[in-house]
């Protein structure tokens, strides 16, 4: 099994929203912020090459939304989903499975693109797309807060192509990939844990978007149920430290992974290795 990071570009989010009720005096010591109070966030996906199966977790923002929408979010960086896959020697047709933590625009936008005739096309036409049923229902009928972060053209072409697999409970969905269903950030948010040759790696998605968010009360204002987020984060951190699960960050611009340790002050980051260091280039 080979684990490869796939950078798909960056966007900027308001630091106050990213760190919720935490005062800027505290969070600005731990994450870079610009003069407009924006924090730059990666959209770092993960490719798991098992030989016969090639699994991609999340797909970034894609290219479909309007220039106006993308300018609000200040998309930046050179990387793109298709280029990053190509650099590693993969074409979209090689991907057999796409696992989507949830369907907010910055996690699933790469699933569909518009071709030269402005027709919507599924990017990974040979792939089963795994989504939780609770999240899918939320996407189809969004609540008043999340309507603005879901776009029908991000997933409906995938649905119409018959490529959606809905997950209803925790467990192993593909050999080596375990899913836990969470509800704090959004209903039916999935936490994938990859069992690789040298240990376990959790794909954090928006449960712990950036390294400083390991602290329990540091919950983003984007979360729909912050108290549930705190409980879910607490339970995950205990499990991770007890079982030696490393963390892979989708959104932290500077930090790919971290390994935890238990101290008198609670569970904290011990080291921040790269993905290559965590997996020791296993195959
Ligand atoms: Zn999200």
């Amino acid at each position: 099994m080979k684990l490869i990071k796939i950078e798909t570009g960056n966007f900027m989010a308001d630091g106050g929203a990213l760190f919720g009720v935490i005062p800027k005096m505290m969070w600005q010591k731990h994450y870079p912020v610009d003069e407009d109070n924006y924090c730059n966030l990666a959209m770092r996906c993960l490719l798991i090459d098992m030989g016969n199966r090639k699994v991609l977790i999340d797909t970034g923002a894609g290219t479909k939304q309007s220039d106006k929408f993308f300018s609000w979010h200040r998309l930046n960086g050179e990387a793109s989903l298709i280029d990053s896959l190509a650099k590693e020697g993969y074409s979209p047709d090689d991907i057999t499975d796409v696992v989507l933590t949830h369907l907010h625009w910055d996690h699933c936008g790469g699933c569909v693109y518009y071709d030269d005739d402005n027709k919507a096309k599924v990017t990974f036409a040979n792939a089963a797309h795994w989504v939780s049923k609770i999240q899918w229902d939320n996407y189809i009928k969004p609540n008043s807060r999340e309507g603005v972060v879901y776009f029908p053209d991000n997933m409906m072409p995938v649905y119409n192509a018959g490529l959606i697999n809905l997950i209803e409970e925790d467990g192993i969905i593909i050999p080596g990939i375990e899913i836990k269903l969470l509800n704090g950030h959004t209903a039916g948010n999935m936490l994938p844990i990859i069992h690789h040759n040298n240990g376990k790696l959790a794909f954090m998605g928006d449960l712990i978007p950036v390294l400083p968010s390991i602290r329990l009360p540091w919950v983003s204002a984007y979360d729909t149920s912050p108290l549930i987020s705190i409980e879910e984060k607490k339970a995950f951190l205990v499990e991770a430290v007890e079982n030696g699960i490393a963390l892979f960050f989708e959104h932290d611009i500077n930090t790919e992974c971290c390994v935890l340790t238990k101290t008198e002050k609670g569970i904290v980051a011990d080291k921040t290795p790269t993905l290559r260091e965590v997996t020791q280039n296993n195959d």
Side-chain angles (χ1 to χ4, degrees):
M1 184 188 278
K2 237 195 250 175
L3 279 76
I4 303 162
K5 67 166 175 165
I6 301 292
E7 298 280 0
T8 70
N10 313 318
F11 72 101
M12 301 194 91
D14 184 86
L18 180 61
F19 294 108
V21 297
I22 304 305
K24 186 177 182 186
M25 293 257 295
M26 290 171 74
W27 62 254
Q28 68 182 355
K29 295 181 203 149
H30 300 279
Y31 202 85
V33 59
D34 76 6
E35 63 280 5
D36 294 326
N37 212 42
Y38 271 87
C39 295
N40 207 12
L41 298 175
M43 289 178 282
R44 185 180 297 117
C45 305
L46 182 66
L47 178 65
I48 303 149
D49 185 344
M50 303 172 176
N52 60 339
R53 280 175 100 158
K54 292 166 181 66
V55 182
L56 181 64
I57 304 185
D58 280 356
T59 63
T63 54
K64 289 187 304 305
Q65 266 63 59
S66 68
D67 290 346
K68 197 172 169 189
F69 178 82
F70 282 149
S71 71
W72 291 335
H73 296 283
R74 299 195 183 179
L75 261 66
N76 66 93
E78 296 302 311
S80 78
L81 173 63
I82 303 301
D83 286 353
S84 295
L85 285 169
K87 274 184 196 151
E88 297 292 343
Y90 299 89
S91 86
D93 287 347
D94 294 333
I95 305 302
T96 60
D97 300 88
V98 175
V99 175
L100 297 163
T101 57
H102 62 298
L103 303 178
H104 290 166
W105 62 272
D106 52 316
H107 296 259
C108 72
C111 290
V112 169
Y113 66 98
Y114 287 118
D115 69 7
D116 294 341
D117 299 323
N118 214 27
K119 276 196 183 142
K121 288 276 166 71
V122 176
T123 310
F124 304 104
N126 298 325
H129 292 60
W130 301 82
V131 188
S132 88
K133 181 168 187 313
I134 299 171
Q135 175 66 187
W136 183 260
D137 292 345
N138 199 41
Y139 170 73
I140 297 295
K141 266 195 184 175
N143 55 53
S144 50
R145 266 190 81 182
E146 291 184 277
V148 291
V149 290
Y150 293 133
F151 290 93
D153 62 356
N154 275 344
M155 294 308 297
M156 290 320 291
V158 182
Y159 176 81
N160 293 335
L163 294 173
I164 300 279
N165 277 10
L166 295 179
I167 301 166
E168 297 197 43
E169 54 190 38
D170 290 4
I172 305 274
I173 55 162
I174 297 165
I177 302 184
E178 179 188 352
I179 294 294
K180 285 181 190 292
L181 297 182
L182 308 172
N183 292 300
H185 175 63
T186 179
N189 183 29
M190 301 204 303
L191 172 68
I193 299 176
I194 299 101
H195 299 226
H196 62 88
N197 306 359
N198 292 309
K200 292 184 188 177
L201 180 79
F203 184 94
M204 298 319 304
D206 284 343
L207 174 64
I208 300 179
V210 293
L211 178 69
S213 318
I214 284 176
R215 296 162 179 83
L216 288 182
W218 293 40
V219 169
S220 111
Y222 302 114
D223 286 22
T224 53
S225 303
L227 293 176
I228 295 177
S229 294
I230 292 174
E231 289 309 312
E232 289 174 345
K233 181 157 59 170
K234 196 172 173 183
F236 167 73
L237 289 173
V238 168
E239 187 189 342
V241 85
E242 281 175 2
N243 296 297
I245 302 173
L247 283 59
F248 177 86
F249 295 111
E250 186 168 17
H251 285 314
D252 195 304
I253 197 79
N254 295 319
T255 311
E256 280 176 29
C257 295
C258 107
V259 177
L260 302 168
T261 187
K262 201 172 177 178
T263 70
E264 285 169 2
K265 288 183 179 171
I267 297 169
V268 298
D270 183 23
K271 293 187 183 105
T272 52
T274 62
L275 177 65
R276 272 171 183 269
E277 288 164 347
V278 167
T279 58
Q280 298 161 30
N281 291 325
N282 61 34
D283 54 18

